[in-house]
Amino acid sequence: MANKLHVKKGDTVVVIAGKDAGATGKVLAASPSKGKVVVEGVAKVKRHTKPSKNDPQGGIMEKESFIDASNVMPYCPKCKKGVRIAHVADKNGKTVRACVKCGNKFDK
Ligand SMILES: [Zn+2]
């Protein structure tokens, strides 16, 4: 299936590569077409903001930027680490994502 990521918005993921390797955070946004995700607290970049009506002083704002989705793995709360996922059928026959190690389901 093209344009489909192994992680999606709201997932907790572990960063496995790059300068934030080892960090965990929630996926704030996912862009399947670009194969990129934004992870809470990861790949923060400083942006200088100009003074505006709402922010008369202006200043520096930190904001997460997109990172490659291949650099993150879903975090399994049971295994306490980033894991590979398997696609399994739940009792209703729906395909859900599960941890390959312990079977913990990521989708409900
Ligand atoms: Zn697991």
Side-chain angles (χ1 to χ4, degrees), residues 81-101:
K81 61 179 181 176
V83 295
R84 292 179 25 129
I85 53 165
H87 290 96
V88 298
D90 70 4
K91 55 184 184 294
N92 299 318
K94 208 180 103 186
T95 302
V96 296
R97 296 171 307 155
C99 169
V100 290
K101 291 230 159 69

Side-chain angles (χ1 to χ4, degrees), residues 76 78-79 83 99 101-104:
C76 175
K78 285 192 184 163
C79 298
V83 295
C99 169
K101 291 230 159 69
C102 71
N104 178 52

Side-chain angles (χ1 to χ4, degrees), residues 3-108:
N3 292 343
K4 196 135 193 247
L5 297 177
H6 60 299
V7 292
K8 61 186 181 186
K9 197 175 167 183
D11 282 354
T12 299
V13 297
V14 183
V15 180
I16 53 168
K19 70 178 172 74
D20 290 304
T24 57
K26 242 186 189 137
V27 176
L28 300 177
S31 175
S33 58
K34 292 196 191 95
K36 288 179 183 287
V37 291
V38 176
V39 181
E40 192 174 34
V42 171
K44 278 195 165 179
V45 288
K46 285 191 172 122
R47 294 225 169 95
H48 294 266
T49 54
K50 285 182 183 151
S52 66
K53 267 184 207 152
N54 295 329
D55 183 9
Q57 298 233 300
I60 298 166
M61 204 175 73
E62 277 195 290
K63 199 174 185 298
E64 289 91 349
S65 58
F66 275 98
I67 60 169
D68 221 88
S70 61
N71 288 349
V72 303
M73 286 179 103
Y75 178 80
C76 175
K78 285 192 184 163
C79 298
K80 294 191 164 55
K81 61 179 181 176
V83 295
R84 292 179 25 129
I85 53 165
H87 290 96
V88 298
D90 70 4
K91 55 184 184 294
N92 299 318
K94 208 180 103 186
T95 302
V96 296
R97 296 171 307 155
C99 169
V100 290
K101 291 230 159 69
C102 71
N104 178 52
K105 291 187 175 63
F106 294 101
D107 299 308
K108 291 190 184 86

